[in-house]
Amino acid sequence: MTLNAYAPAPVSSGAAPAGICRRYFIALLILTAVFTFTGCGNKADSKPVTESSFQLGTLVELTLYSGPGRQVFKKAFELISAYENTLSRNIESSEVSEINRNAGISPVVVSSDTFFVIEKGLYYSSLTGGLFDISIGPLVSLWGIGSEDARLPTPDEIASALALVDHSKVRLTAGENSVFLEKEKMAIDLGAAAKGFIADKVLELLTENSVKSAIINLGGNVVLLGRKPDGRLFRIGIQNPFDTRGSYLGILEGENVSIVTSGIYERYFEEGGKRYHHILNPDTGYPVENDIMGISVITEKSVEGDCLSTSLFMLGSEKALQLVESLENTEALIITKDKKIYLSSGIGNRFTLTDSQFSIF
Ligand code: FAD
Ligand code: MG
C-alpha cells in the first residue's frame, strides 16, 4: 500500500440543509475528522474543483483534479443519494427500513449491494467477538446521539434495547439475497459500514468517467484516487481531536488508498460532566470506554476501512494495533486520550507529526 500526504482545506458549503439542526451542521463544518489539502504547488497543474453536499447525515466533499467536467459531480451526488435511499434506516422506503419493519415477521429480498454491506458487517462481528454489531439499531435509536433528541437512557431502557441486539440473529440467505431479523423489533444500522461502501462506489464512478486524480470525502471516509497531477502524493491533515477549531495534529500522505476515521469527538453529548459518544458497546449498552480518542485506518477498500475503524476503536489501542498488524494491506494511526499516537508498522515516514503536544509511540 502506498500512503501519502494530507492537508486541511476549508470546507466549502452553504446553509444547513432543511431538516438539519443548524448548530450541528456548523459543528460538522468545523470538526471534519480529516482535512484534505487540495492546493497545487505547480502552476502547470490543473486547478482542483471542489463541490460539497449534505448527504448521509454528514458533509460530503468531492475534489476533482481532472476529468470530464462538472457533470461528473452531479452523477456522483446522485449516486450517493441513490445509495442513501437504499441503505439509510432513516428513510422509510429504504431496503434497510424494509428489513427492520419485517423483523420477526419475514425475510426481505434486497439488492446485492445491500446484501454485500450486511455480509461485511457480520464478518466484522466475527472478527471482533461481536463488538462490531450492525444489529445495534435499537440502542442507537435509544441514545439518539447525533440528533437533537440525544439523552441518557435509564438502565431498564438499556436492558430492553440490549435484548434486541444480537448479530447472530441476522439471518442471510445468499442464493436469494434475503435478510431476516429473527426477533421482533430488532433493527440493523449500517452507520458504521455504509459510508465506506458508498465511497468505493463513488471511486468506481469517477474511474469510469476518466477521472485520474480526486479526493472523495464522505464525512471522514476519505478515498484518494491517484496522485496530484504534479505527481506528488495527496496530503491529509489528521484532526486534533482535542481542538474544536479545526486544527490538525499531523499530516498523512497517500495515493490510491482509503483513509477512514472514527472518533468520539464529533457525535456526543455531555451530562453530569461525562461525555456520551456514539460508538456503543453491545455488551453493556453504553458508549464504549477505553483509551482511544480517534483512529484513522488505511486500507484499499473503504468499506473495509469503515468497518475496521469502528471495530478497532472498540478494541482499545493495544488490541487494535495487534489486529491491524495481523491484517494485510491495513495500517492505522491511533490517537489516545493521553495524547499518544500509535502508528502501525507500515506507515513509516508517511505520517508527519506537526503538533508537539502529542508524541509518537
Ligand atoms: P463510525 O465509527 O463509522 O460509526 C459509528 C456509527 O455506527 C454510530 O453512529 C452508529 O450508527 C453505529 N454503531 C454504534 N455502535 C456500533 C457498534 N458497536 N457496531 C456497529 N455499529 C455501531 N446521520 C444523521 O444524523 N442523519 C441521517 O439522516 C443519517 N443518514 C445516514 C444514512 C446512511 C446511508 C449512512 C451510512 C449514515 C447516515 N447517518 C445519518 C450517520 C452518519 O453520517 C454517520 O454514518 C454516523 O454518524 C457515524 O459515522 P462515523 O464515520 O462518524 O462513525
Ligand atoms: Mg466505521
Side-chain angles (χ1 to χ4, degrees), residues 19-20 24 28 33 54-59 80-81 83-91 94 96 117 121 125 128 130-137 139-141 144-147 165 189-196 198 218-221 260-264 266-267 277-283 286-288 295 305-311 313-314:
I20 301 297
Y24 178 56
L28 270 175
F54 197 88
Q55 293 174 287
L56 307 168
T58 190
L59 188 74
I80 295 166
S81 188
Y83 277 118
E84 178 163 9
N85 287 334
T86 308
L87 296 168
S88 173
R89 63 182 295 230
N90 302 322
I91 295 175
S94 76
V96 165
V117 181
S125 287
T128 58
L131 283 176
F132 185 92
D133 191 333
I134 56 164
S135 74
I136 200 87
L139 266 181
V140 172
S141 303
I145 296 169
S147 76
V165 177
D189 177 313
L190 301 179
K195 278 190 297 171
I198 298 169
L218 311 188
N221 272 241
V260 180
T261 300
S262 278
I264 56 173
E266 288 187 2
R267 289 204 174 215
H277 64 79
H278 70 134
I279 301 180
L280 303 170
N281 185 328
D283 293 332
Y286 286 83
V288 67
I295 178 164
D306 198 0
C307 293
L308 262 178
S309 69
T310 315
S311 298
F313 189 100
M314 302 201 68

Side-chain angles (χ1 to χ4, degrees), residues 219-240:
N221 272 241
V222 172
V223 174
L224 305 176
L225 168 56
R227 287 183 171 215
K228 286 186 174 188
D230 65 1
R232 289 181 304 152
L233 296 168
F234 285 114
R235 293 161 52 80
I236 303 295
I238 300 295
Q239 158 117 21
N240 175 346

